[in-house]
Amino acid sequence: MNSAKKNYIYNTAFSVLNMIIPLITAPYLARILGSDGVGVYTFYFSIAQYFTILCKLGLTNYGTRHIAAIRDNKEAARTEFTNLYAMQLCVTLMVSICYFGYVILLAENKELAGIFGIWVISAGFDIDWLLFALEEFKEAAIRNCFVKIAAAAAVIFFVRGADDVWKYAWITTVGYAGGYVFLWSRCRGYIAVKSVDIKTVFSHIKPCFILMIPVIALNIYRTMDKVMLGMFSSMSETGLYEYAEKLIYCLTAFISSLGTVMMPKMSNFIAKKDMKSVSAYMFDSMAFIIFLSSGMCFGIAAISNSLIPWLYGAQFAGSTILLKLLAVTLIFIAWGNVIRTQYVIPGRRDGIYIGSITTGAVVNLFVNALLIPRYDAIGACVGTIGAEFSVVLFQGVFLHRELPYLEYLKKTAPFLGMGMAMYAGCKVIEWKLGPGFFTMMIQMICGGIAYVAVSYVYFSKVLRMKV
């Protein structure tokens, strides 16, 4: 358990930084670029993101799982890395050609789209999946922290006016590319130059492609809502939605950190057929993640009336209701993430993984197409909620005979009650004092202490877990 906690601490440290930096850069960019500028940036960033996903061809999950299962044999792990990376380079070349075809033929803002093209090309050097497989999370966390801090400083220094969206795009692109290069400098001990086995490379394409389908589907309902807002609503609505969602996904970094840490460990346990350890880790992870997500969900919803105006300014007031709606997704995301990263993917249940994420993407696209033209960003929020819930529902339908879902619900439901009680208390404080920065700080301190204290008692006295 010590290695898991240690790795989670590294990833959580980055998650905390990932929360703090937007508190500095997002308010600055909101005031400098405005909702239109943020919307334009988000639109082209989202499109480029699809192409970077294609460059990885599902290696974030497949590469991590595959190398983790054989990592005890260093020679075999090195050989397989060489073959997998050769495949990644070839795919990146083809995807980059397609992306620049889009830039030349379809993109209206060719300058902005072209800048993000450098990010697409640099994705060919992203080998974080090797570090994850070897459970070398310290190096990835250091890379991410350095990139985030440097990018934040560059934003403050260089982005000075509404016409500087292109500078913001360059900063993002250089940050990603620089981080990928850093990974190579930290992996020298694991990389051996070997001749590529073409037959083996081709043997990896199909399973990688299969695991890429849900990654694409996941990003469809994580980014397509912003693309559809830009197409069917306005860049202003896209900006409002982007900054509400940004806060939510800063918080989901805590959730994904646990999944990232546990997936290689669970893959190794399952490869050794140690199902007792798998069951124990699953239960502990579910209790911890629902405690965390429930607190974040009800906490950020409670302070949203004060948080949005203070953080982004009056022109982003429309993001307040969006933040309250999107907060609900935190609990669904947390539940689905534990099942996916600690049981489905390590257990090679790729059909369930693909089916759940694809279902989420279909629900998201359908609801967005139906509601965005009429309700703008609120429609996008409803689509995201429906998508995340459908993922959890799909997993439950196909896995309820294998996993103790009722036991999970029974043990974690009290955290939802504690979260609701915290929300009610925080709203009473707001009703008495009125929205504002001082009120928000009182809500965070009082609500946070009360929630953690009651949860601690529940963990130690009822669940009998060490905290």
Side-chain angles (χ1 to χ4, degrees):
M1 203 67 159
N2 289 334
S3 64
K5 288 182 178 179
K6 182 179 178 182
N7 287 328
Y8 183 70
I9 288 171
Y10 285 130
N11 274 273
T12 301
F14 169 63
S15 299
V16 171
L17 186 69
N18 210 32
M19 287 183 62
I20 293 173
I21 287 180
L23 296 179
I24 299 170
T25 58
Y28 177 78
L29 290 168
R31 290 166 173 81
I32 295 297
L33 301 180
S35 57
D36 287 335
V38 171
V40 170
Y41 169 90
T42 301
F43 180 76
Y44 286 101
F45 176 88
S46 298
I47 292 173
Q49 190 171 23
Y50 285 119
F51 286 88
T52 61
I53 292 166
L54 292 173
C55 291
K56 291 289 287 290
L57 197 68
L59 277 172
T60 298
N61 289 321
Y62 179 79
T64 299
R65 183 179 72 185
H66 185 69
I67 299 298
I70 61 172
R71 68 188 182 201
D72 294 335
N73 185 335
K74 292 185 178 180
E75 189 63 24
R78 288 176 178 176
T79 300
E80 287 300 277
F81 167 76
T82 302
N83 292 320
L84 287 170
Y85 185 66
M87 180 186 67
Q88 182 177 336
L89 281 181
C90 292
V91 172
T92 299
L93 177 61
M94 292 185 289
V95 170
S96 298
I97 291 171
C98 293
Y99 179 81
F100 281 99
Y102 151 75
V103 173
I104 295 169
L105 299 175
L106 299 174
E108 291 185 17
N109 191 327
K110 297 187 186 303
E111 179 186 26
L112 201 59
I115 292 170
F116 283 127
I118 307 301
W119 174 31
V120 175
I121 294 172
S122 70
F125 299 97
D126 184 4
I127 54 169
D128 57 0
W129 48 273
L130 174 62
L131 286 175
F132 294 159
L134 298 169
E135 295 196 60
E136 293 288 342
F137 292 96
K138 179 180 178 180
E139 311 304 339
I142 291 173
R143 183 279 303 263
N144 288 330
C145 289
F146 176 79
V147 168
K148 289 289 184 181
I149 292 172
V155 164
I156 301 299
F157 188 79
F158 291 108
V159 181
R160 296 299 182 89
D163 295 328
D164 287 345
V165 176
W166 66 274
K167 293 182 181 178
Y168 184 26
W170 265 118
I171 291 168
T172 301
T173 296
V174 172
Y176 277 116
Y180 299 153
V181 172
F182 177 83
L183 286 181
W184 282 91
S185 70
R186 306 301 298 180
C187 292
R188 289 191 301 269
Y190 306 112
I191 298 167
V193 178
K194 293 178 175 290
S195 59
V196 176
D197 185 338
I198 300 299
K199 184 178 180 180
T200 303
V201 170
F202 276 102
S203 72
H204 289 305
I205 290 178
K206 181 179 178 180
C208 273
F209 182 78
I210 289 173
L211 282 181
M212 183 186 69
I213 294 172
V215 174
I216 293 175
L218 179 64
N219 278 272
I220 283 176
Y221 72 79
R222 291 283 173 85
T223 61
M224 185 55 73
D225 41 16
K226 287 168 278 193
V227 174
M228 294 178 74
L229 276 169
M231 294 171 61
F232 301 130
S233 182
S234 67
M235 290 301 175
S236 178
E237 284 289 311
T238 306
L240 293 175
Y241 181 83
E242 161 71 2
Y243 269 18
E245 190 185 50
K246 186 183 289 290
L247 286 171
I248 295 300
Y249 286 133
C250 282
L251 296 177
T252 60
F254 286 95
I255 297 168
S256 61
S257 289
L258 182 65
T260 301
V261 166
M262 294 303 299
M263 186 166 64
K265 186 175 292 293
M266 293 302 224
S267 296
N268 198 255
F269 283 146
I270 290 176
K272 296 176 179 177
K273 302 188 184 304
D274 184 1
M275 301 311 293
K276 182 177 180 180
S277 294
V278 170
S279 178
Y281 273 98
M282 280 282 292
F283 179 80
D284 289 351
S285 295
M286 188 64 78
F288 174 73
I289 212 67
I290 297 302
F291 150 73
L292 199 62
S293 61
S294 180
M296 293 188 299
C297 167
F298 292 104
I300 199 163
I303 67 173
S304 59
N305 290 340
S306 301
L307 178 62
I308 292 294
W310 171 73
L311 198 58
Y312 299 142
Q315 64 175 319
F316 280 84
S319 295
T320 302
I321 183 63
L322 308 181
L323 182 61
K324 291 177 181 177
L325 290 170
L326 290 173
V328 177
T329 64
L330 286 167
I331 294 172
F332 298 142
I333 291 171
W335 185 286
N337 184 272
V338 170
I339 302 298
R340 179 171 63 252
T341 61
Q342 299 188 40
Y343 188 79
V344 174
I345 296 176
R348 299 179 184 271
R349 307 295 296 278
D350 297 344
I352 294 175
Y353 176 39
I354 293 169
S356 64
I357 300 299
T358 303
T359 299
V362 171
V363 169
N364 183 258
L365 283 173
F366 176 77
V367 176
N368 281 347
L370 190 66
L371 299 183
I372 285 178
R374 182 176 297 181
Y375 299 107
D376 300 318
I378 290 178
C381 290
V382 176
T384 300
I385 294 170
E388 297 295 353
F389 174 73
S390 67
V391 170
V392 172
L393 182 62
F394 187 98
Q395 291 175 342
V397 169
F398 286 91
L399 294 173
H400 72 280
R401 296 183 185 277
E402 301 176 37
L403 296 175
Y405 271 84
L406 289 179
E407 189 69 14
Y408 292 156
L409 286 169
K410 179 182 176 181
K411 298 298 185 182
T412 60
F415 292 118
L416 301 180
M418 297 174 204
M420 293 178 188
M422 176 184 65
Y423 176 86
C426 288
K427 297 309 286 185
V428 169
I429 294 173
E430 183 180 273
W431 177 64
K432 292 287 186 180
L433 302 179
F437 178 77
F438 177 74
T439 298
M440 181 176 68
M441 297 306 297
I442 296 297
Q443 289 174 306
M444 291 171 65
I445 294 171
C446 295
I449 291 176
Y451 181 76
V452 171
V454 175
S455 297
Y456 177 83
V457 173
Y458 181 70
F459 270 120
S460 59
K461 301 299 183 182
V462 179
L463 298 182
R464 305 291 182 181
M465 288 175 58
K466 293 181 179 181
V467 292

